[in-house]
Amino acid sequence: MTYQFPFGQIVRPLRQEDRTPKKVFVLGVYASAVHARWTKPGEKHPICAALAVASEPRIFWDGNIDEAREIISKIKIPKELGTLEPAGSNLNGPSAKVLDNNILAPLGFTRKDAWLCDLLPETRINDSQKKVIKDKYNPKISEFGLNKVSIPDRPTIFCDSVRCKEILEELKESQADLLILLGDIPIAQFLSEVANVPYKTLQEYVNLYGYGKATNTIIDGQTIKVLPLAHPRQIGGLGFHSKDWHDKHQDWEKSIAK
């Protein structure tokens, strides 16, 4: 089924493009989006500081401003509704920056070493996006002939049995010998389905093995090192986050830098 963003862009699935063998496989939760600042001349405040308007150009996109500007420039918006421009630098690609700087780099990897994957390869609408679409965008649909936003809400289940098999095939194809899981959801909805492990949350893992300690795990008959870490939101202190996980990760970075 085809889903549409505000102002008409189509939601695209984001998957690993470079399919050559990698050293590390990173599994996140769901794809993000390109965010635009929606403003209207004469109004003191933006209509929305960060409206999701298009799929990212690639998985775990770093928010490159030139790419953001090019993507947003192709979106047609009635002049009566204002203009779109790239959102603030902290609002596009923040998770990718955390991945590069606070996860891969401390381990001695670059993006070229990593095969990236999400449980759900398409973006979804969170509560803040849902509110601005309902309050600011939907009332303009009839008057200006806008498309209805058809992106589903953020789910609770991101990965069913079919998707687990797809991810497992990607993991095999990657030939990576280290699997990094970002937060609780990849542990519960992927790892627990494909491996017999004595934990279903990051906290349970930490209680058993400690934070940032990789363990050998058998997945589909093959042994691979598994390293569950906090979600980039927690690690980078992005919006509402856990100070405890943020501090644990900082301590881990310092410990492996010695």
Side-chain angles (χ1 to χ4, degrees):
M1 184 174 178
T2 299
Y3 302 125
Q4 284 185 286
F5 286 96
F7 303 115
Q9 293 295 297
I10 301 298
V11 175
R12 298 183 300 102
L14 302 180
R15 305 183 191 277
Q16 177 73 14
E17 295 177 357
D18 176 6
R19 315 289 286 198
T20 57
K22 301 299 176 187
K23 297 177 182 178
V24 57
F25 190 100
V26 179
L27 184 59
V29 182
Y30 71 114
S32 188
V34 178
H35 292 83
R37 188 171 183 265
W38 180 13
T39 60
K40 192 172 181 181
E43 295 192 4
K44 184 176 180 181
H45 301 290
I47 298 170
C48 182
L51 180 68
V53 292
S55 292
E56 293 185 323
R58 57 191 167 276
I59 189 170
F60 278 94
W61 175 58
D62 65 1
N64 179 279
I65 186 64
D66 293 327
E67 289 181 314
R69 190 175 290 113
E70 181 181 0
I71 290 166
I72 292 168
S73 71
K74 296 175 181 177
I75 300 172
K76 304 305 179 186
I77 171 173
K79 61 181 181 181
E80 297 90 343
L81 296 183
T83 59
L84 300 176
E85 59 188 27
S89 59
N90 62 320
L91 299 172
N92 274 319
S95 291
K97 294 165 188 169
V98 170
L99 173 64
D100 289 345
N101 299 328
N102 304 99
I103 296 175
L104 295 179
L107 291 168
F109 298 128
T110 68
R111 183 69 72 95
K112 291 182 179 179
D113 299 314
W115 187 296
L116 308 178
C117 185
D118 281 314
L119 296 175
L120 179 61
E122 298 177 339
T123 194
R124 290 295 182 260
I125 294 292
N126 61 29
D127 288 343
S128 63
Q129 291 289 314
K130 188 176 179 180
K131 178 172 173 52
V132 74
I133 290 168
K134 178 183 176 183
D135 294 347
K136 304 296 185 180
Y137 181 86
N138 287 350
K140 308 294 185 184
I141 288 177
S142 295
E143 183 179 356
F144 293 96
L146 304 176
N147 65 287
K148 290 185 178 180
V149 178
S150 52
I151 307 170
D153 294 346
R154 184 185 189 278
T156 54
I157 303 300
F158 295 87
C159 183
D160 59 17
S161 59
V162 173
R163 180 61 183 151
C164 275
K165 290 178 182 177
E166 292 174 351
I167 296 169
L168 189 56
E169 288 304 311
E170 283 197 51
L171 180 58
K172 292 177 185 176
E173 186 181 348
S174 75
Q175 299 181 39
D177 55 16
L178 175 63
L179 168 62
I180 295 176
L181 305 168
L182 302 180
D184 287 336
I185 297 175
I187 298 172
Q189 296 189 20
F190 173 72
L191 187 66
S192 295
E193 296 298 319
V194 299
N196 183 20
V197 292
Y199 55 90
K200 284 196 173 183
T201 68
L202 179 58
Q203 186 62 64
E204 290 174 355
Y205 183 92
V206 171
N207 291 345
L208 289 169
Y209 308 111
Y211 186 84
K213 305 293 185 182
T215 56
N216 289 328
T217 303
I218 297 174
I219 299 177
D220 200 36
Q222 301 293 319
T223 299
I224 185 172
K225 287 191 177 298
V226 172
L227 178 58
L229 294 173
H231 189 276
R233 181 183 65 256
Q234 317 289 3
I235 294 171
L238 305 173
F240 180 77
H241 67 280
S242 162
K243 184 177 184 301
D244 185 44
W245 287 123
H246 176 267
D247 293 348
K248 274 186 170 62
H249 192 88
Q250 283 200 322
D251 290 343
W252 171 75
E253 285 191 63
K254 292 172 185 174
S255 71
I256 63 176
K258 293 179 180 177

